[in-house]
């Protein structure tokens, strides 16, 4: 699949993993990475791929209409994969405005620029793929059926509300103007390059620094977890085989309670330190891990406002495109822990 792809937010967690994935899968494709390099954007996530002649990094904001259009024109872009977003619920609770600016107005800017460039230049074979979240559907009870693409939107945080608005804009540009779009609503991702404020990397790094492991409320909130590489492969399949104008839910069929995720990480790190004495040398401050008692760091804290109880994905629709996750969670989480253990030079500048 030789395409000229603009990846927005391509220096973030999922975006950077997608750039690595796409470059490996389609080495002849041109990839333009547009990223504002806010706190969660990091050129180090892209590593050696930036040395490739057909990968171009552009430091800029998706809200800058002139810059976006110029990139589409300069590189003759035919495909946009739109990851760029403010994505941390806690930050959206503290201040909603940046989420509206980036997630809503930024998406609108991209759509307007894409429509103008592709339609004015008669680029018939184009695609705007919008990467969204399962959080737009709201919260499920422990026994409710998983979210399907037909579920009513019921966002419960400023973050999920902003993503819901952007989803609606993408749909509207297809139905009103005929822009060729697809959307994926994905469950929680995990894997390398995950910014340390998110649950899994935060727990790993707090253990390595012998800090408390904060658990909101009772820790019984349930999330569906998908390895980021599987998410990237799902987007690839949607771009190739997905129907224009459609939404595809992407999930791992892998529900875990937050407290169980934390306990699993504690157990695995206990085992790592017990089986490899070098970790105690590399991380002498990780006293609980050295003593095989990471779980003693678990600390319950006040729940965050409006905390959703459960997210779960019904992935039957994308399964019809022959997408199934390849990562077993036990393997994926072990690889993720090992990645953080082996890459302190990446996370040290980011972790506080």
């Amino acid at each position: 699949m030789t395409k000229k792809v603009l990846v927005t937010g391509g220096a973030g967690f999922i975006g950077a993993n997608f750039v690595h994935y796409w470059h490996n899968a389609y080495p002849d494709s041109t990839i333009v990475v547009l990223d504002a390099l806010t706190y969660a954007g990091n050129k180090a996530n892209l590593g050696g791929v930036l040395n490739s002649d057909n990968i171009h990094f552009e430091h800029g904001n998706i809200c800058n209409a002139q810059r976006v259009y110029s990139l589409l024109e300069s590189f003759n872009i035919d495909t946009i994969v739109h990851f760029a977003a403010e994505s941390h619920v806690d930050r959206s609770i503290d201040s909603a405005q940046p989420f509206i600016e980036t997630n809503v107005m930024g998406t609108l800017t991209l759509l307007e620029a894409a429509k103008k460039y592709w339609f004015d230049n008669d680029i018939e074979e184009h695609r705007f793929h919008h990467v969204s979240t399962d959080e737009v559907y709201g919260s499920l009870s422990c026994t409710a059926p998983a979210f399907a693409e037909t579920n009513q939107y019921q966002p419960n945080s400023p973050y999920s509300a902003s993503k819901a608005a952007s989803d609606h804009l993408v749909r509207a540009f297809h139905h009103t103007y005929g822009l060729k779009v697809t959307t994926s609503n994905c469950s929680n991702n995990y894997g390398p390059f995950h910014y340390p404020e998110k649950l899994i990397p935060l727990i790993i790094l707090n253990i390595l620094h012998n800090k408390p492991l904060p658990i909101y409320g009772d820790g019984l909130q349930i999330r569906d977890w998908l390895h980021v590489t599987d998410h990237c492969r799902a987007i690839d399949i949607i771009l190739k085989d997905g129907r224009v104008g459609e939404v595809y839910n992407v999930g791992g069929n892998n529900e875990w309670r937050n407290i169980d995720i934390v306990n699993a990480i504690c157990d695995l790190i206990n085992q790592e330190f017990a089986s490899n004495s070098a970790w105690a040398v590399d991380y002498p401050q990780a006293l609980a891990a050295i003593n095989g008692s990471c779980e003693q760091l678990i600390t319950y804290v006040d729940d965050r406002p409006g905390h959703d109880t459960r997210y779960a994905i019904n992935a039957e629709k994308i399964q019809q495109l022959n997408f199934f996750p390849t990562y077993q969670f036990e393997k994926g989480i072990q690889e993720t822990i090992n990645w953080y253990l082996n890459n302190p030079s990446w996370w040290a500048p980011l972790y506080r």
Side-chain angles (χ1 to χ4, degrees):
M1 184 183 292
T2 303
K3 290 184 174 292
K4 296 178 180 178
V5 185
L6 174 65
V7 181
T8 71
F13 165 45
I14 305 177
N17 275 282
F18 180 81
V19 171
H20 286 284
Y21 169 89
W22 193 266
H23 180 59
N24 289 332
Y26 309 106
D28 293 331
S29 283
T30 297
I31 304 173
V32 180
V33 177
L34 176 61
D35 200 292
L37 294 180
T38 56
Y39 76 95
N42 185 355
K43 285 182 71 174
N45 294 354
L46 296 166
V49 298
L50 290 179
N51 296 325
S52 172
D53 291 339
N54 56 344
I55 296 183
H56 309 272
F57 181 82
E58 301 288 337
H59 183 197
N61 195 305
I62 59 171
C63 293
N64 185 332
Q66 184 176 358
R67 182 72 183 283
V68 170
Y69 188 87
S70 175
L71 291 176
L72 298 178
E73 187 174 47
S74 297
F75 292 97
N76 195 24
I77 297 295
D78 55 47
T79 303
I80 296 174
V81 184
H82 175 34
F83 293 97
E86 293 284 347
S87 65
H88 193 44
V89 173
D90 287 1
R91 289 178 182 263
S92 79
I93 293 170
D94 291 340
S95 177
Q97 184 171 344
F99 289 75
I100 302 303
E101 291 173 352
T102 298
N103 300 356
V104 182
M105 298 308 299
T107 300
L108 176 61
T109 300
L110 287 168
L111 288 165
E112 292 279 17
K115 177 172 71 73
K116 178 173 175 54
Y117 176 67
W118 289 335
F119 288 2
D120 286 357
N121 293 279
D122 296 320
I123 300 175
E124 179 66 22
E125 294 303 315
H126 65 260
R127 180 71 68 87
F128 187 109
H129 182 76
H130 177 56
V131 181
S132 191
T133 171
D134 57 0
E135 295 191 37
V136 297
Y137 298 118
S139 182
L140 292 170
S141 71
C142 292
T143 58
F147 296 131
E149 290 83 357
T150 54
N151 272 66
Q152 177 181 330
Y153 274 29
Q154 294 182 318
N156 290 323
S157 70
Y159 161 61
S160 56
S162 69
K163 290 299 288 184
S166 66
D167 291 5
H168 292 322
L169 283 170
V170 173
R171 172 185 169 86
F173 267 67
H174 171 66
H175 284 273
T176 301
Y177 305 111
L179 200 70
K180 293 182 178 179
V181 308
T182 43
T183 295
S184 54
N185 293 89
C186 194
S187 59
N188 283 32
N189 281 208
Y190 70 98
F193 305 118
H194 206 173
Y195 192 76
E197 69 186 357
K198 299 300 181 77
L199 177 64
I200 287 176
L202 179 67
I203 295 304
I204 295 169
L205 297 182
N206 276 15
I207 288 172
L208 298 183
H209 292 80
N210 213 51
K211 292 183 178 180
L213 310 181
I215 305 296
Y216 280 132
D218 56 15
L220 302 183
Q221 304 86 2
I222 298 170
R223 301 293 183 261
D224 176 39
W225 291 90
L226 180 75
H227 194 279
V228 65
T229 302
D230 279 326
H231 185 188
C232 296
R233 191 167 54 82
I235 294 170
D236 184 5
I237 289 172
I238 293 169
L239 288 171
K240 284 190 293 189
D241 300 326
R243 183 177 174 183
V244 168
E246 293 292 314
V247 175
Y248 294 90
N249 283 353
V250 184
N253 192 26
N254 179 45
E255 294 183 51
W256 285 72
R257 301 187 306 178
N258 285 350
I259 187 61
D260 295 333
I261 286 276
V262 174
N263 276 314
I265 294 171
C266 287
D267 289 343
L268 289 169
I269 294 182
N270 285 339
Q271 294 171 32
E272 277 291 327
F273 274 71
S275 63
N276 185 350
S277 60
W279 295 133
V281 176
D282 291 343
Y283 300 103
Q285 67 272 50
L287 298 179
I290 292 168
N291 294 327
S293 58
C294 292
E295 64 281 355
Q296 293 184 5
L297 297 173
I298 293 174
T299 304
Y300 291 89
V301 299
D302 290 341
D303 209 350
R304 72 181 178 204
H307 202 172
D308 291 336
T309 301
R310 172 176 169 248
Y311 306 138
I313 286 290
N314 178 335
E316 291 179 4
K317 184 174 179 180
I318 196 170
Q319 288 170 4
Q320 295 172 12
L321 303 182
N322 202 30
F323 169 79
F324 299 89
T326 59
Y327 269 83
Q328 295 294 322
F329 185 72
E330 290 73 13
K331 173 192 174 186
I333 196 65
Q334 181 68 69
E335 287 185 4
T336 300
I337 289 169
N338 289 342
W339 188 87
Y340 281 91
L341 286 168
N342 285 299
N343 287 277
S345 62
W346 177 85
W347 53 256
L350 309 176
Y351 176 75
R352 298 291 182 267

